[in-house]
Structure formats: structure tokens, C-alpha cells
Amino acid sequence: MSADSQTLYSQLPSVDTLLRDETFQPLLENYGAQLVTQTLRRLQQQARDSIRVQQQLPAWCENWALAVDHQLSLSQKDALQQVFNLTGTVLHTNLGRALLAEQAIDASVMAMRHSVTLEYDLDGAGRGHRDRAIADRLCELTGAEDACIVNNNAAAVLLMLAALASHKQVIVSRGELVEIGGAFRIPDVMLQAGCELTEVGTTNRTHLKDYRQAINENTALLMKVHTSNYAIQGFTSAVEEAELVTLGRETGVPVITDLGSGSLIDMAAYGLPAEPMPQKLIADGVDLVSFSGDKLLGGPQAGIIVGKRALIEQLQNHPLKRALRCGKMTLAALDATLQLYQQPEKLAQALPTLRHMTRTEAEIHACAERLLPPLQQRFAKQFNVSITPCQSQIGSGSLPVDRLPSIAITLMPHSGKGGELEALSQQCRALSRPVIGRISEGKLWLDLRCLEDEKGLLHALLQELRP
């Protein structure tokens, strides 16, 4: 070891010495001795490595307390960070999908803070079923005989197939063998459930006779899958559920439908594109219908199955149900969300998903006009800041073709260089509350459809963003 290296090593203070230093007292109070000590030891090792490799001390060695504080600030950052969703996608899968209503948030907090009747029957003073109370509410809303709740709609599909069709045939139209985000494919789910997939028809046209010809003594289910994340247009033909139900009753084969998103309200009544409703399919005689809780329903992540009591009982008794069941916070939030649907006159304002989807272009434009002057003043030297009409989307595979007229604040660099846009977008994502927009057509688009905290956005862009 050289004399210079020995000198540098001698400059490294001991952990005990640093912990006794007054500059470390606030860190010890905030983070605790164990975490501060662990961080110090890692930094000391980094400093030794720097001496060994580069024959110098890192610059941060001049202020160990500041270096530890910086490291701890980074390590203690929440895994899930609050962001501004200005992407133009209301139900953004990567940003957590539906925002919960205040009633659902309050219900979740109550369930976290207190003991609750999760599986306790107050009447009998014994064990109850965790789905029961919510199942009753779902039956009231949909007209179903019974209901079952699991942790997402993929789990709902898996449970239906595993419980009702293991080692048996399930008939599905070839045009409905969907793949959703994360490479989740209906054929793969059937394989995991132990089912035999039988495809009928063609990609664009399937007829009732195709199902009839495929039915045999090993057929367990006729399955419809709502193609919620794409649309086949042109020369097409599909079999409606009501027709399939007639065939199912004739042959003794149950009919199940995977709705994907699923909406408990008539979307057209709110000026939105129509979406299939579980209650309509139940009225048509479909035996089981599954749909998501955190998409168009506007609640927490959950998979909901409604339908015939005898089939629901089979699902509840299957071993997979326990593995796929929901916890108390999810059930509390879902129940509170469903209660809102029992008061439809308040739904458009109380449910954030519906509130954002039905927000008018005029309302969004007024928001843009309030934001424009301060943003122009802040960014005018480098960017052309404008109010620009745009098209929002619902997202999460819901109504993939339909768009919602919206308004964005756009920033286009005077230089025309894409690198400036990328740098600005990266800076926006690095804010304490990241601002998430999208880059397209040489502009950064900040779609205001989902923005409700205008002051917070201005503070982030005007006060925190570096000039």
C-alpha cells in the first residue's frame, strides 16, 4: 500500500465517531440508529473502493451527514409514488387504473384501523362467508342469483374454468381468443385450468351452427369473451349471448361470459360509448358473467363473478378460491363503490372514473385557459406553449376504438429538436410528484382531462422544475 493510500484511509472517520457527531442527531431521530449505521458502513466501503481504485476520496466525504441523508432519502422513497396523470388515458393500467371514490377510501381506512365482520356472522355469532354481504349487493344490482369475488378478472376466468371445466372441453369463437396486457392470453388460462380449448368459426365470422357442431359429450362450457381491447370491423358476424343461451339450454351446456371491463350503468346515458352490462347478460340467461372492479366500475382491483347460485357454489368450494380471494381493504372499498351505484343520481360526481370520462370539453378548456398564462411565462423562452384540442381514451382495454374529445397544454421546442422534449419530459418525471404526459408530433402533450389539482400542477412545473 502506498503512503498516499495510507494517508487517505486514515482520513476515513469511524462509524462510532460519526454517530456521536451532532450533525447526525437529526438523522438518528428521523431514521433510527440501525438504518443510519447500515448506510454509513456502505458509504465507508464505497470510500475504501474509491481509494483502492482511483487513489482518491469521493467528493461527498467532505460532508458525511449530507451523504447519508441523500442515500436515505433515495432508499426511503415510496415504492408507489403519487403522479399527475396527464397522459389522456383515464384508466391507465401503469398508473393504477381507477381512482377510488372518497367513500371507498374511507371504507378501506376503517377496515385497516378496526376489527371488522370479515368472516363473522353477527346473527349467528359464528363464522360467516367473506363474500356474502357484497354478493347480496351485487345480486341486487345485477339480478343475479349469487356472486363471487376474487382478486382480479383474470383470476375470475381461471376460477370459472378450473371449477367447471377441468379436463373437459370449452368452446370459444376463434375471434375471441384475446390477449390483454402483460401477455395474458385466454388459451393460456385455459391450459392452466386444465381445459380443452375448442376454437370455432373464423377470426371475423362465427355462427351458431359452429358452436352446435362442436358440442359433444365432453363439452363443459360455451364461452363468450368480450373483445374489450380491440375491434374487428368489416365483414364480421358473431353470436350474441341470448342465442348461445338458447343453444346451451337445448344441449345442457352452461354459458359463461368474460366481460373484461364490465359496466353496471348504461354508458350511453352519460354520453359515452355503450358497453355490455352484466345485468343485461344475466337477464338474457347467461349462467356466469365475470368483470373487473377497477376498470369501468371505478372501484378497487377485483374480479367479480355473478350468475346462477349452483355454479357460484361450485366456485366458492373450489380450492383455488382461497388462493384468489380478496382481503378486507379490497372488499370494504368494493362494497362502498357498489353502494354508490345504488344512488345513481350522485354517481357522476361521486365516482372519479365516471367524473373524468364525462368531463366536458368546455370544462377542460376553461382549465387550460387558467393554466396557460403562467406556463407560457415559465417556458416561453424555450417552448411554444399552446392550448391544443386532442383525443383522450378510456384505457385498460375498455372501448378501444372510441375517443373522448379533450384539451391539452402542448409544449413544442422553438429549435424543433426532439432532445429538448425528451429532456423536459424526463425532468417532469423526476419531480417530487411526477408529471406524466406523452410525446407526439414533436410536442409534449399534457392532457388535462384527469387533472383536478391545478395548484399542485402549477407548483410542480413553476417552483420545482429547473429552469
Side-chain angles (χ1 to χ4, degrees), residues 160-161 164 221-224 254-258 286-288:
M160 289 191 295
L161 294 172
L164 305 178
L221 296 171
L222 302 176
M223 184 175 183
K224 287 281 293 181
V255 176
I256 68 171
T257 296
D258 168 17
V286 175
D287 295 284
L288 291 178

Side-chain angles (χ1 to χ4, degrees), residues 391-412:
Q391 298 287 313
S392 301
Q393 62 181 355
I394 293 175
S396 290
S398 305
L399 303 166
V401 176
D402 300 284
R403 293 292 182 269
L404 306 174
S406 189
I407 299 295
I409 296 287
T410 57
L411 295 94
M412 182 171 65

Side-chain angles (χ1 to χ4, degrees), residues 105-347:
I105 295 170
D106 291 342
S108 297
V109 171
M110 182 279 294
M112 287 187 279
R113 184 169 285 144
H114 303 286
S115 297
V116 294
T117 55
L118 177 64
E119 292 184 1
Y120 186 83
D121 179 7
L122 289 171
D123 293 330
R127 183 164 186 166
H129 195 288
R130 66 174 58 200
D131 288 359
R132 187 65 266 150
I134 301 175
D136 290 341
R137 206 179 303 281
L138 282 165
C139 291
E140 181 180 337
L141 288 167
T142 66
E145 295 178 4
D146 205 350
C148 173
I149 299 99
V150 290
N151 58 21
N152 62 20
N153 189 53
V157 174
L158 177 64
L159 181 59
M160 289 191 295
L161 294 172
L164 305 178
S166 180
H167 306 298
K168 294 183 179 180
Q169 180 193 55
V170 179
I171 301 174
V172 186
S173 169
R174 184 168 282 109
E176 298 174 5
L177 295 175
V178 302
E179 176 182 319
I180 62 174
F184 175 89
R185 295 178 170 183
I186 287 293
D188 294 340
V189 178
M190 289 191 174
L191 180 65
Q192 292 300 316
C195 302
E196 175 191 332
L197 166 64
T198 296
E199 306 173 24
V200 295
T202 63
T203 301
N204 61 319
R205 291 178 70 81
T206 300
H207 307 283
L208 189 62
K209 65 180 181 181
D210 297 320
Y211 291 93
R212 184 184 297 277
Q213 291 169 359
I215 294 174
N216 59 44
E217 65 280 357
N218 196 44
T219 304
L221 296 171
L222 302 176
M223 184 175 183
K224 287 281 293 181
V225 181
H226 180 48
T227 55
S228 58
N229 61 352
Y230 70 95
I232 300 175
Q233 298 178 330
F235 187 58
T236 64
S237 177
V239 179
E240 297 297 324
E241 274 87 353
E243 298 178 83
L244 212 54
V245 166
T246 300
L247 176 62
R249 287 176 177 170
E250 176 187 330
T251 58
V253 180
V255 176
I256 68 171
T257 296
D258 168 17
L259 268 187
S261 293
S263 174
L264 289 177
I265 55 171
D266 179 6
M267 303 283 283
Y270 292 86
L272 297 165
E275 181 80 355
M277 299 168 62
Q279 50 266 56
K280 170 63 167 58
L281 299 184
I282 292 297
D284 286 342
V286 175
D287 295 284
L288 291 178
V289 180
S290 75
F291 52 100
S292 294
D294 60 342
K295 295 183 181 179
L296 293 177
L297 186 68
Q301 178 181 300
I304 300 168
I305 309 168
V306 295
K308 296 290 192 295
R309 183 174 292 106
L311 297 180
I312 293 292
E313 186 176 358
Q314 287 184 248
L315 305 186
Q316 297 286 17
N317 292 330
H318 194 275
L320 268 181
K321 175 55 168 61
R322 184 175 181 85
L324 302 175
R325 68 184 184 180
C326 294
K328 62 179 182 179
M329 285 92 78
T330 297
L331 293 173
L334 179 59
D335 185 45
T337 303
L338 293 173
Q339 288 181 51
L340 295 176
Y341 280 87
Q342 295 175 314
Q343 308 170 57
E345 63 277 359
K346 301 179 181 179
L347 197 59

